[in-house]
Amino acid sequence: MTPTPSAPVPDGLSPATRVVALGREPAAPGAQVGAPLVLTSTYHAGGDVVYARTGNPTWSAFEAAVGDLEGGEALVLASGMAAVTAALSLLPHGGTVVAPDVAYNGVVSTLAEREAEGSAVVRRVDVTDTDAVVAALDGAHLLWLESPTNPLLEVAELPVLLAAARDRGVLTVVDNTFATPILQRPLEMGADVVVHSVTKYLSGHSDVLLGVVVTPATDAGRALAARLVTHRTLHGAIAGPMEVWLALRGLRTLHLRVERANANALVLAERLAGHPAVVRVRHPGWGAIVSIEVTGGADGADGVAAATRIWVDSTSLGGVESQVERRRRIEHEPAQVPENLLRLSVGIEDVDDLWRDLARALDRA
Ligand SMILES: *Cc1c(COP(=O)(O)O)cnc(C)c1O
């Protein structure tokens, strides 16, 4: 990890309190209260960090806060995909990875490329079929999980799968972007690595792209972290300090945003199930992403997305603003995703305003 300027916080505090307090410089008369934003490419010789591709105090502040939330040690990278690529660097050349057949399309495409060039063998599984996933683990090197999955919102039995992988010596990575550490902490369930697109809920304001990898604060976890640090330094996919500073500011309110967005999503999922233009609602009962299938196929779904006035018709998710997107309009979206599926990223607005806007768009479809 990057040497941290972060002042320690007292033990026994809840995560909501810790994430507000962490990543600040030690208290001293006249010291700044806000987190440091350090814009420099190099440092005076003689310190622990000599060049800013290997470390930055703003990274350290953010990493202290995210690491604490996930119960491990964090490394910030330039995007969620940079974090995915870093985590996949732990797969030996030509190694076998067990992965969901439908997941975030960047991960699906990366694995297909690795397979095509012969640098990985990919075993694709239905993550909801626990027995099938476990059966696929024998002789594998890495288990890649995403739960709930993007955009079908399928939930994997993480504790069972992570334990089965551990028994077989298979390294595990969990993409925790959809759940956030407020709702799910995979390291506590035995995962070796957690990855996030910080772009989504952690930063929460649709203004930066960033990623993070988190590893356990154990000897084994630190050995993985050392490899990930080397990857970050040598591949150069480092984060800009300004973006990281913005992400830390967003992270301070993660609890409030997740709480409100989840409450909104529960209400909307229930109301959507009763709307005649909605054929299917996917929502695991928690989290703030709801996927719906609507009547009228792809055109029907496009019409709904185009007719909303508050919901923003745009890709991405996890921001304060509610977003709607027909996923299959994206070129690389897996074909298993229905053409008429709209992914709703429920924001923190007034739930009745959100409902009226969506219901009006659905009525017109
Ligand atoms: C968006 C996303 C990513 C990729 O993150 P970027 O910040 O866009 O590079 C990875 N995993 C999931 C689940 C995502 O939603």
Side-chain angles (χ1 to χ4, degrees):
M1 306 302 110
T2 316
T4 170
S6 198
V9 299
D11 286 338
L13 298 177
S14 91
T17 308
R18 297 173 64 83
V19 78
V20 171
L22 279 161
R24 300 181 191 271
E25 287 177 352
Q32 68 180 41
V33 173
L37 170 58
V38 178
L39 299 171
T40 189
S41 62
T42 187
Y43 303 94
H44 288 284
D48 292 333
V49 182
V50 299
Y51 188 51
R53 186 154 31 74
T54 57
N56 175 290
T58 312
W59 295 359
S60 304
F62 178 73
E63 289 168 349
V66 175
D68 192 81
L69 280 179
E70 282 288 4
E73 293 176 346
L75 279 178
V76 66
L77 291 110
S79 66
M81 280 310 295
V84 165
T85 306
L88 280 175
S89 76
L90 300 172
L91 180 71
H93 188 85
T96 297
V97 51
V98 177
D101 51 0
V102 184
Y104 177 65
N105 65 34
V107 172
V108 171
S109 299
T110 298
L111 290 175
E113 287 213 348
R114 296 274 306 259
E115 192 176 33
E117 72 185 14
S119 66
V121 175
V122 185
R123 293 182 189 157
R124 294 181 179 79
V125 289
D126 169 357
V127 290
T128 63
D129 187 345
T130 301
D131 291 342
V133 180
V134 172
L137 290 174
D138 281 318
H141 299 91
L142 194 148
L143 171 62
W144 188 279
L145 291 170
E146 191 181 289
S147 185
T149 58
N150 183 359
L152 298 182
L153 301 175
E154 289 174 336
V155 175
E157 270 189 279
L158 288 184
V160 177
L161 297 179
L162 294 170
R166 171 141 307 196
D167 286 347
R168 290 161 180 78
V170 178
L171 198 71
T172 52
V173 180
V174 178
D175 184 333
N176 206 31
T177 299
F178 270 40
T180 83
I182 306 302
L183 303 177
Q184 172 170 285
R185 279 176 295 281
L187 296 183
E188 288 173 4
M189 302 176 192
D192 296 307
V193 182
V194 164
V195 310
H196 275 277
S197 169
V198 174
T199 313
K200 316 291 169 54
Y201 288 104
L202 298 190
S203 65
H205 294 73
S206 306
D207 49 10
V208 298
L209 273 102
L210 283 176
V212 74
V213 288
V214 195
T215 41
T218 58
D219 287 350
R222 292 205 171 97
L224 292 173
R227 292 170 62 192
L228 294 166
V229 168
T230 302
H231 174 93
R232 178 174 73 176
T233 302
L234 297 183
H235 287 249
I238 61 157
M242 185 70 215
E243 282 77 4
V244 178
W245 189 88
L246 283 167
L248 177 56
R249 188 161 77 161
L251 190 71
R252 305 280 192 211
T253 57
L254 180 67
H255 284 77
L256 296 175
R257 290 185 284 105
V258 166
E259 206 176 291
R260 172 61 172 258
N262 281 10
N264 283 353
L266 271 177
V267 171
L268 293 177
E270 199 183 307
R271 293 185 188 172
L272 284 162
H275 196 285
V278 176
V279 261
R280 179 167 180 186
V281 177
R282 297 171 189 257
H283 184 247
W286 53 280
I289 309 290
V290 181
S291 290
I292 57 172
E293 289 162 45
V294 300
T295 52
D299 290 345
D302 281 335
V304 173
T308 56
R309 290 185 290 201
I310 297 170
W311 293 78
V312 185
D313 180 6
S314 59
T315 199
S316 198
L317 57 102
V320 289
E321 63 283 288
S322 293
Q323 289 172 274
V324 54
E325 182 182 34
R326 187 172 77 81
R327 283 303 288 172
R328 281 297 297 282
R329 74 170 177 196
I330 305 276
E331 191 192 339
H332 295 292
E333 192 67 5
Q336 295 94 324
V337 175
E339 286 282 1
N340 63 341
L341 180 142
L342 288 169
R343 188 184 66 193
L344 306 175
S345 171
V346 179
I348 65 167
E349 302 94 331
D350 178 83
V351 70
D352 290 315
D353 286 341
L354 291 176
W355 169 245
R356 274 190 292 269
D357 189 46
L358 202 53
R360 208 189 102 271
L362 285 163
D363 291 344
R364 286 166 47 139

